[in-house]
Amino acid sequence: MKKTDYKKVTDAELVALLDSNIRRSIGYYDSQLSRERKKVIDYYNAVLPKPAHDGNSKYVSQDVYDSVEAMKAALLETFSAGNKTVKFAPQNADDAIVAEVCTQYADYVCHRQNDLYSVMSSVIHDGLIARAGIAKVFWQTQDEITFEDFENLTVDQLDMRLSEDGIEIEEMTEQDEMGLISGTFQVSKDTSQVIIDSIAPEEFLISPQARSLEDASFCAHRTVKTLSDLREEGYPERLLSKIVPNDTDDLSTDPEVLSRHEEIGEDSSDNGEMQEQVRNINVFECYVSVDIEGSGIAEQYRLIKAGNVLLSKDKVARRPFISFVPLPIPHAFYGSNFGTKIVATQNARTVLTRSILDHAVITTNPRYTVVKGSLTNPRELIDNRVGGIVNVTRPDAIAPMNQAPLNPFVFQTIQLLEADKEDTTGVSRLSQGLNKDAISKQNSAAMVEQLATMSQQRQKIIARNFANQFLKPLFHQVYALCIENEDQEKIVQLSGGQYIQIKPSDWNAKRDVTIELALG
């Protein structure tokens, strides 16, 4: 086919293309991944496994919770312990000071303008129990509006204030006999900045066969908004009036959402009796490679679809998503699920521990055989009071039932399961400082340190995955957004209390990022 034979793509065709990609992504991931994630969340919250019978022990081993939290603690301690782990490398000797300024300003954007610690905690948590943690990094245009009263200004003074950027008159009184003016200014301050936010796993969609974020033909962020929210974002009324809400893919009924909020009670999502302007609408922010102009070359577009209406289409240079996959699988976007690997151990340890507890209860309070008609008052035996009297008519009226002894291998099996969990997760008791056998007079401090370091090998690999997959792209993205959008000179306070004047738009377009790991 010749290049001139390609046709432009209409908005209706774009909506159909997006609907097709959304259905494939939701159909695969909501059916396959949501059930797996819900199961892991239930094990993490110690909801599963459930007792076999109502009368059995309700004890649940916390293996999934312990392993996830131990790994998360190790990673957070590594990357948020106060030391600068991410740095921009200078291009040459003359670039050293500028690279240091870029490093400190990027750190300022991540940790002071945003709460990077909370974002990392959420992303790591999602990565460990949902296969992948997703963060969204984008530039948000916003203004902060305040009101300032003024009194007794002359006309010249008033004109001088109004010549400043972002100042308008909100209210003004008439001039008094002295020609002085009073009233209220509306002061608008540009507070646009880089936003770093974590995305819930069920809100992120990607092509089922995608190998990575970079080569995925389609990815999207699905959210629930109201008609009022869309009006505030500035979309024209002619488009909003055409939206027909689609309730078939309501996020409020997603299995992951329901499982996540199960502990704090059920929240009804039915808003059918509410006003039309506050009804929930599924909004998809899609990033897709498509040839809209019919030029023969597909380009990256950001398409926003609400219901059945395409709200906007913009050509973009990059996608705002950054992912962290703790256990990657080659040639696939989603890796293995860290949490599911401990489910079998939690099941086995729970069953064995319940058997010990049930056996202890039964041996302490055994069941009895009773000769028919030999009890004067059967309730005396049923009440089971300490030191209580049971009146019988014959000496052999009551006898405890024989109870099989506890299997002597139960305790040994529990220890084997603990060792198996350490091998599976890579989180050992030694690396957590919980193995008292390693710390003895026979082992030197150097040997203990060597043993602890060896026990952290898998944690180090996951830490390197986090550094390469998440932190490096994050700082690259923050740096690029600052260069593209911050064209005004500003004075910022960096570490050490030093104030400097910077203009990010004058920086080099690209810099190398280095990560300094300090695990162990």
Side-chain angles (χ1 to χ4, degrees):
M1 181 177 289
K2 297 180 181 180
K3 182 178 179 180
T4 55
D5 294 336
Y6 295 108
K7 297 180 180 180
K8 291 186 178 181
V9 181
T10 64
D11 288 354
E13 292 172 336
L14 282 177
V15 171
L17 173 66
L18 294 179
D19 285 339
S20 175
N21 281 280
I22 289 170
R23 279 195 301 269
R24 287 195 306 122
S25 299
I26 291 179
Y28 175 75
Y29 291 116
D30 277 13
S31 60
Q32 302 292 331
L33 291 182
S34 284
R35 287 197 296 267
E36 176 188 273
R37 291 167 175 168
K38 180 184 183 305
K39 177 181 176 182
V40 175
I41 292 173
D42 288 338
Y43 275 90
Y44 176 87
N45 292 328
V47 175
L48 296 176
K50 295 185 179 297
H53 305 286
D54 292 338
N56 288 48
S57 169
K58 304 298 188 296
Y59 171 84
V60 177
S61 182
Q62 301 275 345
D63 296 277
V64 173
Y65 174 84
D66 291 340
S67 300
V68 169
E69 290 301 314
M71 182 64 74
K72 183 166 67 173
L75 296 179
L76 286 175
E77 179 67 19
T78 301
F79 296 105
S80 60
N83 54 337
K84 299 290 190 299
T85 57
V86 184
K87 294 182 179 180
F88 288 107
Q91 306 300 320
N92 49 59
D94 297 333
D95 191 46
I97 297 178
V98 178
E100 178 63 21
V101 171
C102 294
T103 298
Q104 295 196 37
Y105 185 69
D107 192 75
Y108 165 83
V109 171
C110 292
H111 290 281
R112 294 177 61 178
Q113 289 187 340
N114 293 274
D115 186 4
L116 184 58
Y117 174 83
S118 297
V119 173
M120 288 195 300
S121 178
S122 299
V123 169
I124 291 172
H125 183 87
D126 291 339
L128 293 173
I129 71 172
R131 295 195 178 207
I134 307 294
K136 189 177 182 182
V137 186
F138 58 97
W139 181 264
Q140 180 167 294
T141 303
Q142 56 191 13
D143 293 320
E144 180 183 347
I145 298 177
T146 58
F147 297 95
E148 177 185 329
D149 295 331
F150 64 92
E151 294 181 355
N152 302 326
L153 295 182
T154 65
V155 175
D156 293 339
Q157 290 174 330
L158 181 61
D159 291 340
M160 185 177 297
R161 287 299 310 274
L162 291 176
S163 64
E164 299 177 13
D165 293 336
I167 295 183
E168 300 177 359
I169 293 180
E170 174 70 17
E171 182 180 354
M172 184 175 64
T173 61
E174 296 182 358
Q175 298 181 9
D176 58 14
E177 62 275 6
M178 300 294 294
L180 300 179
I181 307 172
S182 300
T184 303
F185 287 129
Q186 176 181 298
V187 182
S188 177
K189 181 181 179 182
D190 185 9
T191 57
S192 302
Q193 66 173 58
V194 175
I195 300 296
I196 306 173
D197 194 15
S198 60
I199 297 179
E202 69 275 2
E203 294 181 1
F204 179 72
L205 302 175
I206 193 169
S207 305
Q209 300 299 324
R211 295 187 176 188
S212 65
L213 273 173
E214 290 74 21
D215 65 3
S217 60
F218 170 84
C219 62
H221 179 202
R222 58 170 172 169
T223 55
V224 176
K225 296 183 179 180
T226 64
L227 204 59
S228 177
D229 295 332
L230 296 176
R231 284 195 178 99
E232 290 181 355
E233 293 177 9
Y235 294 108
E237 195 65 33
R238 61 180 178 81
L239 294 178
L240 299 182
S241 61
K242 300 178 183 179
I243 295 178
V244 178
N246 182 9
D247 298 327
T248 57
D249 300 321
D250 190 359
L251 273 175
S252 60
T253 60
D254 188 274
E256 297 174 63
V257 177
L258 297 177
S259 181
R260 192 179 298 130
H261 294 87
E262 187 176 12
E263 298 263 325
I264 56 178
E266 183 178 359
D267 181 23
S268 176
S269 61
D270 184 15
N271 56 359
E273 301 300 324
M274 294 186 179
Q275 295 177 312
E276 181 66 25
Q277 56 266 35
V278 293
R279 283 182 60 87
N280 288 341
I281 299 173
N282 290 321
V283 179
F284 294 86
E285 180 183 343
C286 306
Y287 293 83
V288 60
S289 296
V290 60
D291 179 17
I292 294 181
E293 301 299 328
S295 63
I297 299 176
E299 297 178 286
Q300 188 83 251
Y301 278 86
R302 173 178 178 258
L303 307 175
I304 297 181
K305 185 181 83 75
N308 60 329
V309 175
L310 185 67
L311 294 180
S312 69
K313 54 182 178 182
D314 303 294
K315 193 180 299 183
V316 294
R318 71 184 71 86
R319 299 171 181 182
F321 306 114
I322 300 174
S323 64
F324 166 54
V325 181
L327 303 177
I329 296 176
H331 318 301
F333 174 75
Y334 283 104
S336 298
N337 193 312
F338 181 87
T340 57
K341 298 186 179 301
I342 320 137
V343 166
T345 301
Q346 181 162 322
N347 283 332
R349 283 168 59 91
T350 298
V351 170
L352 292 176
T353 306
R354 283 175 180 171
S355 67
I356 297 173
L357 297 175
D358 290 339
H359 186 271
V361 171
I362 292 175
T363 54
T364 305
N365 300 278
R367 300 177 66 185
Y368 294 93
T369 60
V370 180
V371 177
K372 185 175 181 180
S374 61
L375 296 181
T376 304
N377 184 4
R379 183 172 296 277
E380 294 174 345
L381 182 63
I382 296 173
D383 288 344
N384 197 22
R385 290 181 300 159
V386 177
I389 297 175
V390 180
N391 293 287
V392 297
T393 59
R394 47 189 294 179
D396 59 344
I398 304 172
M401 293 182 63
N402 292 329
Q403 175 65 30
L406 183 67
N407 192 318
F409 295 104
V410 169
F411 296 98
Q412 183 179 352
T413 305
I414 291 178
Q415 293 179 351
L416 290 175
L417 290 172
E418 177 67 29
D420 182 67
K421 182 179 73 172
E422 293 183 4
D423 294 338
T424 301
T425 62
V427 180
S428 67
R429 295 175 63 86
L430 180 61
S431 65
Q432 297 176 271
L434 301 177
N435 191 338
K436 66 180 188 304
D437 296 330
I439 303 178
S440 65
K441 294 181 179 179
Q442 298 177 353
N443 296 335
S444 64
M447 180 176 292
V448 173
E449 181 179 356
Q450 184 179 7
L451 290 173
T453 302
M454 293 175 62
S455 68
Q456 293 176 324
Q457 293 299 321
R458 194 168 298 179
Q459 288 176 315
K460 288 183 177 181
I461 294 300
I462 295 180
R464 294 188 186 278
N465 290 339
F466 184 77
N468 292 325
Q469 295 176 16
F470 186 80
L471 282 183
K472 279 188 176 182
L474 172 68
F475 273 73
H476 274 304
Q477 193 93 307
V478 168
Y479 183 80
L481 289 171
C482 290
I483 291 178
E484 295 169 1
N485 297 280
E486 296 192 16
D487 55 357
Q488 300 292 328
E489 291 186 353
K490 58 171 59 179
I491 297 177
V492 296
Q493 181 184 10
L494 303 179
S495 60
Q498 180 185 6
Y499 288 88
I500 64 170
Q501 187 172 358
I502 63 171
K503 188 177 180 182
S505 59
D506 292 340
W507 293 343
N508 293 335
K510 187 176 181 180
R511 287 187 178 275
D512 296 330
V513 176
T514 60
I515 307 290
E516 295 182 0
L517 291 177
L519 182 67

